[in-house]
Amino acid sequence: MSEKSKFSGCAATGVGSMPGGDAREAARTVAGSFADGLGMPYLAELPARGPGADMTGRTIGLLVEMYGHVEPSGWRISDRPGRDTRRARSWLGEDLDALEEYTQGYEGLLKVQAVGPWTLAAGLELRGGEAMLGDPGACRDLAGSLAEGLRGHLAEVRRRVPGAEVVLQLDEPSLTAVLLGRVRSASGYRTYRAVDRQTVEGTLRELLAVNGEGPTVVHSCAPEVPFALLGRAGADAISFDFSLLTEREEEAIGEAVEAGTQLFLGVVPGVDAASTALSDPGGSVMDVRTLWSRLGFGPGTLTESVVITPSCGLAGASPAYARAALAHCARAARSLADNPE
């Protein structure tokens, strides 16, 4: 394991999305949930506002010299910035204003999220209606545009919150489908060819490097997360839904931890759950302790390697549940630190 984690002192955070459409309320909730210094605030996403605030649209708004618009089938490449791109950029500006307001004087880790290059390529259509994923040249152009856009975005966040150490999270829920050739074509009758693993890894490495020496995370709430590939690509942390973990993935988890990769474990339900789900912080991390023991790691290393999160974004939750879930993540992380065994 690494001597010192880039996420030292961070015990809990959220994945990214929040319910509703009020940027100030979301920023206030996120900042307040992690005000004790153990958690990591983040730039909230509010997809309920509509196209342009959704995960893909928000990231399209970051692209440089590449634009998109909404078709009935989803987001499609455009020749020029239209209403949908302008809306995405406007909402991001609102979110940044709110973040700046509620992080005055803040010093510490601060996370921002964007869709990663492969999930974006799988979800963004070329002019003919097929996914960019089917065109290697288009994928390269998309990755280059995203890298340039992220550099500007990260610089803007640092300008607005000068005391922050900015963490870059790439959301890649479609990554496994890209690697295994499971992404369906527009017709639905065929799938796109699996992308070479070295190509996938190299592109991710280039995008993660945009944050320089700053911490990086790759998130996927899909099954079969490619832990080894993400580690080789340079991700400092891997964020995933803990409930989807299978026994055959435990060896890869152990190797990732030994290599110094942080685990962001989604153990708190991302949608409204029974009140009992948030009544026992220790119970929420019981399976984490069990896994740690099974992997042969000492309980004292848990807090060095684990950050507690919801299982995925909170966009589908009620505002009250979202607040409670983030607070519960912080309490569960504290329970893990106080009683690692």
Side-chain angles (χ1 to χ4, degrees), residues 15 19 91 256:
V15 172
W91 274 330

Side-chain angles (χ1 to χ4, degrees), residues 220-267:
S220 173
C221 52
E224 303 176 76
V225 175
F227 293 99
L229 183 150
L230 294 176
R232 292 193 303 270
D236 296 310
I238 301 172
S239 170
F240 59 98
D241 182 342
F242 186 74
S243 71
L244 299 179
L245 192 65
T246 63
E247 284 189 23
R248 68 175 179 270
E249 292 169 299
E250 290 185 6
E251 183 179 351
I253 288 277
E255 290 173 353
V257 172
E258 287 179 340
T261 304
Q262 198 92 357
L263 304 179
F264 283 33
L265 303 182
V267 301

